[in-house]
Amino acid sequence: MAKTLCDAELKALWQYAVDVTLDPDTAQCQLFLSKDGKQVSHDGIEKNLPDNKERFVNCAYGLGKQGFSSGRFYYEVQAKDKTNWYLGVARESIDRKALLAPRPTNGYWTICLKNANDYIANDDRGVLLPIRQQVQKVGVFVDYEEGLVSFYDVETRVHLYSFTGCTFTDKLYPFFCPCNNLEGKNSAPLIISPVAVTA
């Protein structure tokens, strides 16, 4: 049964809101980033970018500029009009040149949308989430010391999934994968949204 957050629980998340922007040095070369670093989409156009050590090569992945090695943080991402995406966090030491699934054994803690309807928590076996309606905006909360990564449907205030008992040893970065643009069917961007704190 999905848990709906009360006002006090929402405010507890909001107090850890951070300003996240995308890091262009990490973005795979077929990704398009907005000038303000708040939107990322897959346009399928190979860009002539330096193959620096931070850049993903084989997958449409990118990271936030801001890394966290302690404490708690929370941010929100709009995923409206998309059919496929991955969101979560990744550790700094991930292999950015290999073709690896975004799961904990590879240094990623993520959930995803597949085929416009299937929401999956990407633990090491994959957990299909009982979500009946489109999630327009995803909230991501991390408690570094507690080893916790939680995901929320912002608009319905519903808790979607939590990774618990994780062991973090290096910096964690917000992780974004808009997935491939499938002949225009998944062209909408992922948008990092300001957290709308209300009284």
Side-chain angles (χ1 to χ4, degrees):
M1 184 81 175
K3 181 183 185 297
T4 302
L5 275 64
C6 67
D7 288 348
E9 289 170 314
L10 277 176
K11 288 177 181 178
L13 293 176
W14 291 337
Q15 68 177 312
Y16 299 109
V18 293
D19 183 20
V20 173
T21 52
L22 293 150
D23 185 350
D25 290 337
T26 67
Q28 192 255 6
C29 65
Q30 292 188 2
L31 294 181
F32 175 79
L33 275 59
S34 61
K35 288 184 178 180
D36 64 0
K38 297 295 185 180
Q39 302 187 30
V40 58
S41 58
H42 178 270
D43 62 9
I45 299 170
E46 292 271 350
K47 297 160 193 68
N48 186 21
L49 300 172
D51 183 20
N52 48 283
K53 63 183 178 64
E54 297 88 3
R55 192 175 309 285
F56 290 96
V57 172
N58 289 300
C59 302
Y61 296 172
L63 301 178
K65 283 184 179 181
Q66 298 78 11
F68 303 87
S69 56
S70 65
R72 299 168 178 173
F73 63 96
Y74 175 76
Y75 64 97
E76 295 178 354
V77 182
Q78 181 179 299
K80 187 178 178 181
D81 298 326
K82 294 193 66 61
T83 59
N84 297 273
W85 50 256
Y86 287 78
L87 288 169
V89 293
R91 68 182 184 221
E92 187 174 35
S93 59
I94 49 175
D95 187 342
R96 307 186 190 198
K97 309 305 179 184
L99 185 61
L100 297 173
R103 59 172 64 114
T105 50
N106 296 327
Y108 302 84
W109 292 265
T110 67
I111 65 170
C112 69
L113 170 65
K114 290 186 176 180
N115 305 316
N117 292 305
D118 297 330
Y119 291 89
I120 299 167
N122 300 295
D123 70 1
D124 291 320
R125 66 189 186 281
V127 176
L128 186 62
L129 303 178
I131 299 171
R132 298 281 180 259
Q133 63 186 45
Q134 288 289 313
V135 178
Q136 304 291 330
K137 189 181 290 186
V138 180
V140 183
F141 173 74
V142 176
D143 186 325
Y144 193 98
E145 282 76 21
E146 287 295 320
L148 174 71
V149 183
S150 294
F151 298 87
Y152 300 90
D153 180 334
V154 173
E155 294 191 350
T156 62
R157 297 183 166 197
V158 169
H159 170 254
L160 300 175
Y161 187 80
S162 288
F163 293 91
T164 59
C166 309
T167 301
F168 304 132
T169 55
D170 55 352
K171 273 188 180 180
L172 296 177
Y173 287 83
F175 169 79
F176 305 88
C177 174
C179 293
N180 290 2
N181 179 353
L182 306 171
E183 298 179 349
K185 291 180 182 178
N186 193 41
S187 60
L190 291 172
I191 304 172
I192 302 166
S193 303
V195 177
V197 177
T198 57

